[in-house]
Amino acid sequence: MYLNCHSFHSLRYGTIPLEDLVSRAVLCGLKAMALTDINTVTGIYDFIKLCQTAGIKPLVGIEFRSAHQLRYIGIAKNALGLAQMNRFLTDHNFSGKPLPQTAPDLDAVYFIYTLDNIPQNLNDNEFIGIRPDELGRLFMPELRSRLSKMVVLQPVVFRTKREYNLHRILRAVDLNELLSKLTENDCCRKSDVMLPLEELEAYYKDYPQLIENTQKIIDSCNFHYDFKTPRNKRFYTKDRKGDSRLLTTLAYHGLEWRYGRNNPAAKARVEKELKVIDELEFGGYFLITWDIIRYSNSRGFMHIGRGSGANSIIAYCLGITDICPLELDLYFERFLNENRKSPPDFDIDWSWKERDDILKYIFERYGYENVAFCGTNVEFKYRSIFREVGKVFGLPKDELDLLAKNPMKMHETNHIVQLVQQYGMMLEKYPNMRSMHSCGILISEEPITHYTPLEMPPKGFPIVLFDMHTAEDIGFDKFDILSQRGIGHIDDTVKIIEKNRGIRLNIRDTRISKDEASANIYLAQGRTIGCFYIESPAMRGLLRRLKCDNYKTLVAASSIIRPGVAQSGMMKEYIFRHNNPSKFEYFHPVFEEQLGETYGIMVYQEDVIKIALHYGGLSAADGDILRRAMSGKGRSKAALQKVKDDFFTSCRAKGHPEMLSQEIYRQIESFAGYSFCKAHSASYAVESYQSLYLKVHYPIEFMTAVINNQGGFYRTEIYIHEARMAGAVIHNPCVNKSSFETSLHGRDIYLGFMHLQNLDSKLAQFIAIERERNGEYASLEDFISRVPMGLENVKTLIFIGAFRFTGKPKNELLVQISMLLNNFKPENRGLTLLREPVKELKLPELERSVFEDAFDEIELLSFPVSCTVFDLLQTRHRGDVLVKDLLLHHKKQVRMLAYLISTKQVPTKKGNMYFGTWIDHEGAYFDTAHFPDSLLQHPFQGGGCYLLLGTVEIDYHFPTITISKMAKMPFIPDPRYGDSDKRFTTQNQIRPDISSTQRQPYPQENEINLPRHRMKF
């Protein structure tokens, strides 16, 4: 009898999670029910599964609303009916047109109108829904004559009085309205709850025809969904055989390309993988990915194939990845095996500048009807909850900020705040809005509207209304099309090298960069700023602690730096064993044989498979079930228990002592959830080497590319510093030399107009376009006649020195531009200025120091260019020790003067501490540790230079300074402001990079639960 049930997927309207909705239906004795969320089918597939488990017949539909007004309720008779509704809603989502007042002509859909919105004529598939409290109106002749077209309508929106209040809060949030100003029409009725079936039917005892009509609809609706059938585009060619033939041909061509004509191990691996791929019918998936890569290569784009797909030699032979699985002993089963029914996926990265081109190709090649982005549910989270809920209660912005930023125990305790907290906590994990998955693409065999309506976000690519987990459940294998700035760094560097030096470099050939000798020297020294994934202070410190000078160690470092591995204590243990190989024993010979590369530690997810296989005797496929289940990705507890039982049975059969097997299983269980995919790390490491190779051999070009791709971990100033340290000469923007982006001429770097904070970006781009079109600017007057720029923007260019080619000082240019533009009318541009040259004025010569220019630069760029920050200090003292001498001062107290680069706040058991990264006046980097007690007396006070006092600690070759005291050093007064109070405010615009983490404190050495010695029996 329930044809209109809402879950919390009726965004900012429904209050009931799907599981609770079905549980409530069971308690109420329902044998059938319809899920009809507002303008979406997000929850229908989970709903179907839940109903099947509960023994309830699921009906699926959509409640169609336009501008918050209910139009009609649609219920699918079958799969065709769902597809018809999806296409109808998609058309309106794309066009932006309001839904019509009357339902469309969809023959496989039942439509239900409310009494307030009955059309004059009803089609055979259209009915009128009558609520219990509306039965009294049926005495009216015009309604009584239509009983044959009436059905029971008992909407379900909430469960309890508290949830009704929550519903009202959601409506106020949705309408951006105060709770007190909601009207009755803004909310559902207080009766919109699920009643026991007998109680609901009792209301209609005098109108049995309505119950019969309702039951007929329920009986005639039969929506079935086969969750086991793949929904992806099945074949790249016409059929499975064609796919198999093409994939085999491509694989063997690639085998010769990658390995030569005589490599038995590689050939055997290719044959093995081809067999599994064909049996699981994933040939089309590989070929579509290959096709995308083929297009990318034809456009000259660079890509990085990473993720578990790099475990496949077929992917390597097809050029999808650049990771040889034989070299790193990567198991194909980690990616695909006969027991793994969930889809595999390739993660493919492109430059952020080229990704849209790739997306456009995919949509055009495979059809806009058959391709869409995955959706994602953006949930209410802590900060957004308290802001949104507090706002509908009428709290002012200051109080909302306090609620959002502070933990609940620090909130006020008044009645309103208690209500905000109470209802806010109820909203946690509720979906708030639908959005677009960052990278997941679905390519469907059938039109995607068979399964969902589509929405068209501003990005211009359609999205489905369910997330990646639902997509996987209903048979879709997503393609992850990602972008990152690291590839932009590499790609742009190659182009700049060719333009600047005339050298064409094939950086895609990873053989020239991976394990390159000079790059390994830089790697071991942590000289990696600007390089993908290995430039952060934590990573540079790890590289130095490991003296990382080869590819395999870098692969390990890329894994153990990950939060899970580090938080488990395995990072500390790995560093210890790497530096002290004689001070531990391998727990078992299998650990030495299989995990010798990582000193017996299960760093990688593949290591779980290895131990399960070589110690426990399980198959690699069962080992992957173990790995997935323990990492939280396995959904079947029964499957995990079976593999666990098989593990111990096999261990006994192999004669292993029970206690030893128990301990090894405990280690697997402990570390499987923390470990990281080795193939993923290997892909990162290859890209890191490509970046590092370019930094080592073409540092100025590389840093220019990093700057133009808007950096990485650090702010632009740091990459400019790196370029200067590499021998570049840094110039402020110039209207005759600079472009929107930073440009390189030999060793001269001209900063781009994009870095000027106060300059209009469209005009900034136009400066270079106009110069390319009509030649260099001859004078300030010439510039004004050609570029439609207002007074304030031109002043910005003058203050940064962009007209220094004229040879005139800034003060004269400022007077000149004021005369030109103060009374200037835009319609006269190009006429008046050319006919009436500005009179040359003789102004008194004003001395201008380099420091005035430096303060101009801080104001406009946020850092100085004309001199260093050290030159702006009042003190001439530069500290007693330089970075190059720190290794000689272990356990000694030192005093240093340094410029703050970045800070990171991390939790410890004694409170929050900070790590700082600095440069000394020679430009070298070093790191500091600041414990909570020190910070109380000597806190950070923003960006700038500090005098530091602390003790040097050498931790595995890497020096850090534990700070006991520090004080920020004042700049000279800003000479532009005379005796004004502003003389000391400009330096506040220099800010460090700031980051923090909310992770649990890392374990101490004694808390790392990994034995260093074998068990005694």
Side-chain angles (χ1 to χ4, degrees):
M1 298 300 112
Y2 286 89
L3 301 181
N4 185 210
C5 297
H6 301 86
S7 74
F8 62 8
H9 289 297
S10 288
L11 298 181
R12 302 184 178 193
Y13 190 93
T15 67
I16 314 176
L18 279 168
E19 294 86 349
D20 296 351
L21 180 66
V22 176
S23 298
R24 177 70 181 165
V26 172
L27 291 174
C28 290
L30 271 62
K31 299 301 180 186
M33 64 187 296
L35 181 67
T36 54
D37 279 319
I38 297 170
N39 292 345
T40 188
V41 298
T42 302
I44 64 169
Y45 298 103
D46 286 337
F47 172 74
I48 291 167
K49 284 187 170 183
L50 290 164
C51 284
Q52 288 172 346
T53 302
I56 293 174
K57 180 178 180 178
L59 281 66
V60 298
I62 299 172
E63 180 175 296
F64 293 93
R65 286 184 177 243
S66 189
H68 306 291
Q69 299 300 312
L70 174 61
R71 294 282 192 259
Y72 25 79
I73 300 156
I75 299 173
K77 296 180 182 179
N78 46 38
L80 174 61
L82 179 66
Q84 288 177 343
M85 286 192 290
N86 290 340
R87 280 194 292 273
F88 167 69
L89 190 53
T90 298
D91 289 343
H92 285 274
N93 287 342
F94 283 13
S95 69
K97 294 179 181 177
L99 294 169
Q101 291 288 342
T102 57
D105 185 14
L106 306 178
D107 57 359
V109 180
Y110 289 114
F111 285 104
I112 301 171
Y113 294 92
T114 65
L115 270 180
D116 301 326
N117 187 32
I118 309 174
Q120 190 169 358
N121 298 306
L122 291 172
N123 294 325
D124 290 343
N125 63 331
E126 295 179 332
F127 295 85
I128 305 165
I130 305 296
R131 294 169 174 264
D133 58 5
E134 294 171 337
L135 289 167
R137 296 171 62 182
L138 298 188
F139 288 103
M140 300 168 64
E142 63 270 23
L143 291 178
R144 197 168 185 84
S145 65
R146 307 181 82 173
L147 284 176
S148 63
K149 298 295 289 181
M150 291 182 179
V151 295
V152 173
L153 181 62
Q154 175 58 39
V156 177
V157 178
F158 62 95
R159 288 171 291 184
T160 64
K161 182 179 178 181
R162 277 185 71 196
E163 276 196 7
Y164 177 69
N165 293 335
L166 182 66
H167 162 76
R168 294 186 72 250
I169 288 169
L170 285 169
R171 297 306 303 132
V173 169
D174 191 44
L175 297 168
N176 195 25
E177 188 63 270
L178 288 174
L179 196 59
S180 59
K181 292 190 175 182
L182 288 180
T183 67
E184 281 190 7
N185 291 332
D186 293 328
C187 304
C188 72
R189 299 186 190 180
K190 291 184 179 180
S191 58
D192 287 356
V193 296
M194 186 176 287
L195 305 171
L197 186 59
E198 291 181 0
E199 184 178 333
L200 177 65
E201 289 179 340
Y203 282 112
Y204 295 86
K205 64 181 186 298
D206 295 330
Y207 297 94
Q209 190 172 4
L210 271 66
I211 295 176
E212 291 173 13
N213 294 341
T214 307
Q215 192 61 49
K216 285 179 182 178
I217 289 177
I218 292 171
D219 293 341
S220 61
C221 288
N222 292 289
F223 184 89
H224 299 289
Y225 192 84
D226 182 2
F227 288 91
K228 296 180 180 179
T229 300
R231 306 292 172 178
N232 263 44
K233 181 172 173 58
R234 292 188 64 193
F235 309 118
Y236 178 76
T237 60
K238 292 182 179 179
D239 52 32
R240 178 178 171 181
K241 286 185 178 180
D243 279 4
S244 181
R245 282 195 298 269
L246 178 57
L247 186 61
T248 301
T249 300
L250 292 172
Y252 279 100
H253 280 310
L255 177 66
E256 185 173 337
W257 165 50
R258 293 291 198 183
Y259 295 99
R261 294 189 175 182
N262 186 25
N263 191 316
K267 184 180 179 184
R269 176 71 174 257
V270 165
E271 290 172 350
K272 169 190 168 184
E273 289 192 18
L274 284 172
K275 182 173 181 292
V276 173
I277 292 167
D278 184 56
E279 287 174 355
L280 296 179
E281 297 188 32
F282 280 124
Y285 184 85
F286 274 80
L287 289 169
I288 291 170
T289 307
W290 164 79
D291 175 62
I292 296 167
I293 298 303
R294 179 176 62 168
Y295 169 76
S296 174
N297 291 338
S298 74
R299 294 296 312 277
F301 297 162
M302 182 178 177
H303 78 277
I304 303 288
R306 57 178 175 86
S308 60
N311 288 61
S312 167
I313 199 170
I314 301 297
Y316 183 54
C317 290
L318 266 58
I320 297 170
T321 71
D322 279 315
I323 306 301
C324 170
L326 301 183
E327 178 187 11
L328 294 174
D329 194 22
L330 300 178
Y331 285 32
F332 179 59
E333 289 79 6
R334 166 64 184 84
F335 175 59
L336 193 61
N337 61 69
E338 59 270 21
N339 288 338
R340 183 174 178 177
K341 302 308 179 187
S342 59
D345 57 11
F346 289 110
D347 296 337
I348 315 290
D349 289 329
W350 278 270
S351 166
W352 61 285
K353 297 177 181 178
E354 295 163 350
R355 177 176 180 252
D356 281 358
D357 193 311
I358 297 296
L359 292 174
K360 185 179 178 185
Y361 171 75
I362 295 170
F363 276 87
E364 290 180 351
R365 171 73 171 80
Y366 297 100
Y368 276 79
E369 282 198 349
N370 297 71
V371 184
F373 264 93
C374 264
T376 182
N377 287 318
V378 180
E379 297 175 342
F380 282 101
K381 295 193 173 72
Y382 186 90
R383 291 193 174 192
S384 66
I385 286 174
F386 289 128
R387 282 194 192 282
E388 297 277 21
V389 178
K391 190 163 58 174
V392 305
F393 278 98
L395 295 181
K397 183 180 183 303
D398 290 346
E399 289 190 44
L400 295 177
D401 290 341
L402 290 173
L403 289 175
K405 293 176 181 177
N406 292 321
M408 285 178 60
K409 62 185 178 183
M410 294 178 64
H411 290 179
E412 293 288 334
T413 56
N414 62 62
H415 177 62
I416 295 298
V417 170
Q418 288 177 349
L419 286 174
V420 171
Q421 291 176 340
Q422 175 186 335
Y423 288 104
M425 294 306 293
M426 290 175 68
L427 277 180
E428 196 167 18
K429 299 295 183 183
Y430 272 45
N432 181 19
M433 63 183 73
R434 283 185 294 273
S435 186
M436 182 178 187
H437 189 279
S438 60
C439 57
I441 300 285
L442 307 180
I443 303 178
S444 175
E445 179 72 19
E446 304 291 339
I448 289 189
T449 49
H450 280 26
Y451 314 102
T452 173
L454 302 174
E455 290 181 349
M456 184 67 77
K459 188 74 175 173
F461 297 113
I463 61 171
V464 301
L465 302 191
F466 47 72
D467 64 18
M468 58 181 280
H469 302 294
T470 300
E472 182 177 323
D473 278 347
I474 67 176
F476 282 107
D477 317 336
K478 68 181 171 64
F479 296 78
D480 283 337
I481 309 299
L482 303 107
S483 68
Q484 48 148 291
R485 297 191 184 276
I487 296 178
H489 298 168
I490 295 167
D491 213 25
D492 284 0
T493 302
V494 172
K495 294 171 184 173
I496 294 170
I497 291 169
E498 184 170 5
K499 182 178 179 181
N500 198 46
R501 301 199 192 192
I503 298 172
R504 182 169 292 183
L505 184 67
N506 182 17
I507 196 66
R508 291 171 177 77
D509 183 355
T510 58
R511 291 171 296 182
I512 70 171
S513 57
K514 193 173 77 174
D515 258 335
E516 196 266 342
S518 301
N520 281 335
I521 293 171
Y522 272 54
L523 196 63
Q525 296 172 350
R527 295 167 61 186
T528 54
I529 285 181
C531 299
F532 172 77
Y533 202 71
I534 55 174
E535 66 165 335
S536 71
M539 192 64 181
R540 289 188 299 106
L542 176 60
L543 295 173
R544 292 181 66 179
R545 287 181 175 95
L546 297 174
K547 284 192 174 178
C548 177
D549 62 356
N550 61 81
Y551 172 56
K552 289 189 176 181
T553 304
L554 179 57
V555 173
S558 297
S559 282
I560 64 175
I561 196 73
R562 299 286 294 188
V565 183
Q567 205 165 310
S568 72
M570 290 305 100
M571 181 170 74
K572 283 186 177 180
E573 186 64 18
Y574 181 92
I575 294 169
F576 172 84
R577 294 187 179 193
H578 180 81
N579 285 283
N580 300 281
S582 63
K583 293 185 178 179
F584 74 94
E585 296 176 338
Y586 285 96
F587 200 68
H588 184 275
V590 167
F591 281 66
E592 184 171 11
E593 178 186 338
Q594 297 299 324
L595 307 183
E597 190 179 298
T598 55
Y599 312 105
I601 300 170
M602 281 179 267
V603 168
Y604 307 116
Q605 292 172 350
E606 289 83 352
D607 294 342
V608 174
I609 301 174
K610 287 181 181 180
I611 297 303
L613 174 65
H614 295 285
Y615 175 84
L618 298 180
S619 68
D622 281 347
D624 188 58
I625 290 179
L626 196 65
R627 192 267 317 163
R628 284 175 62 80
M630 289 181 175
S631 63
K633 294 184 178 179
R635 298 199 173 192
S636 172
K637 290 183 179 179
L640 173 60
Q641 186 60 48
K642 181 180 184 304
V643 172
K644 181 178 180 179
D645 294 342
D646 290 347
F647 175 82
F648 284 108
T649 300
S650 180
C651 287
R652 293 185 199 104
K654 291 169 75 73
H656 294 314
E658 187 72 14
M659 284 180 61
L660 178 64
S661 299
Q662 291 281 358
E663 170 58 23
I664 288 176
Y665 189 83
R666 184 198 67 78
Q667 290 184 28
I668 292 173
E669 205 167 32
S670 297
F671 306 127
Y674 291 119
S675 54
F676 191 57
C677 174
K678 186 177 184 180
H680 206 93
S681 287
S683 304
Y684 277 176
V686 168
E687 186 178 348
S688 297
Y689 262 114
Q690 289 173 309
S691 296
L692 188 55
Y693 177 87
L694 295 171
K695 177 184 171 73
V696 171
H697 296 283
Y698 306 95
I700 299 176
E701 287 85 355
F702 179 70
M703 283 304 156
T704 303
V706 173
I707 292 165
N708 283 336
N709 281 273
Q710 298 170 44
F713 186 89
Y714 305 95
R715 61 191 184 275
T716 300
E717 176 188 3
I718 307 311
Y719 302 112
I720 291 171
H721 168 73
E722 280 285 294
R724 184 183 283 116
M725 295 291 287
V729 180
I730 310 299
H731 300 272
N732 279 320
C734 170
V735 295
N736 277 336
K737 292 286 188 181
S738 296
S739 300
F740 182 71
E741 294 184 333
T742 294
S743 52
L744 179 63
H745 305 272
R747 303 184 75 83
D748 293 303
I749 290 180
Y750 284 85
L751 297 181
F753 297 118
M754 65 186 288
H755 303 299
L756 293 171
Q757 298 171 8
N758 300 327
L759 190 65
D760 179 89
S761 62
K762 289 183 179 178
L763 287 175
Q765 294 178 44
F766 184 75
I767 293 170
I769 294 170
E770 167 60 24
R771 187 181 69 228
E772 291 292 319
R773 189 186 300 152
N774 294 310
E776 291 190 352
Y777 302 102
S779 63
L780 180 59
E781 297 96 316
D782 183 38
F783 179 85
I784 295 303
S785 71
R786 293 161 58 184
V787 179
M789 189 173 280
L791 181 60
E792 291 305 313
N793 278 318
V794 180
K795 281 185 175 180
T796 295
L797 292 174
I798 291 172
F799 280 122
I800 204 61
F803 295 100
R804 56 190 178 275
F805 71 92
T806 65
K808 296 179 179 179
K810 290 181 180 180
N811 59 311
E812 185 175 330
L813 290 169
L814 289 168
V815 172
Q816 190 175 344
I817 194 61
S818 295
M819 295 179 63
L820 282 167
L821 290 184
N822 271 343
N823 298 310
F824 178 68
K825 295 180 180 179
E827 60 268 23
N828 293 332
R829 185 175 303 281
L831 300 174
T832 306
L833 290 173
L834 293 176
R835 289 202 306 264
E836 301 177 15
V838 174
K839 296 176 182 178
E840 292 290 334
L841 298 175
K842 287 190 176 181
L843 298 173
E845 288 189 17
L846 298 175
E847 288 190 12
R848 185 176 177 87
S849 72
V850 67
F851 299 131
E852 290 183 75
D853 290 335
F855 279 104
D856 280 343
E857 291 152 6
I858 291 172
E859 214 161 68
L860 296 170
L861 297 168
S862 77
F863 55 88
V865 175
S866 302
C867 62
T868 74
V869 286
F870 294 97
D871 297 327
L872 297 174
L873 294 175
Q874 292 183 20
T875 179
R876 297 295 98 192
H877 179 67
R878 294 295 180 260
D880 302 331
V881 175
L882 294 171
V883 172
K884 61 188 178 186
D885 302 318
L886 284 178
L887 289 172
L888 305 174
H889 289 77
H890 182 45
K891 296 293 183 184
K892 295 178 182 177
Q893 192 174 77
V894 296
R895 187 170 59 169
M896 300 182 71
L897 189 121
Y899 179 48
L900 181 58
I901 300 302
S902 66
T903 63
K904 182 172 184 177
Q905 176 186 314
V906 298
T908 72
K909 292 181 178 179
K910 294 182 179 180
N912 287 332
M913 68 176 293
Y914 278 76
F915 292 101
T917 299
W918 313 74
I919 58 172
D920 67 11
H921 77 92
E922 289 189 342
Y925 300 89
F926 69 99
D927 294 86
T928 57
H930 305 252
F931 287 93
D933 53 351
S934 166
L935 289 166
L936 284 174
Q937 300 296 322
H938 305 282
F940 286 98
Q941 295 179 300
C945 293
Y946 288 72
L947 188 62
L948 306 170
L949 183 70
T951 303
V952 179
E953 305 284 348
I954 310 293
D955 181 35
Y956 300 112
H957 332 293
F958 177 60
T960 58
I961 303 174
T962 301
I963 298 300
S964 54
K965 295 181 180 180
M966 69 176 179
K968 186 175 177 180
M969 296 289 98
F971 276 15
I972 61 171
D974 187 338
R976 302 172 305 163
Y977 290 111
D979 294 329
S980 165
D981 291 340
K982 293 184 177 180
R983 289 180 300 160
F984 298 101
T985 60
T986 308
Q987 63 177 293
N988 295 332
Q989 295 186 40
I990 293 179
R991 295 186 177 92
D993 296 306
I994 299 172
S995 60
S996 63
T997 177
Q998 301 302 315
R999 63 168 169 77
Q1000 293 296 312
Y1002 286 165
Q1004 300 300 307
E1005 191 166 322
N1006 64 320
E1007 298 172 318
I1008 297 171
N1009 198 11
L1010 184 64
R1012 287 181 182 165
H1013 301 284
R1014 295 185 184 183
M1015 292 182 72
K1016 306 293 184 185
F1017 297 101

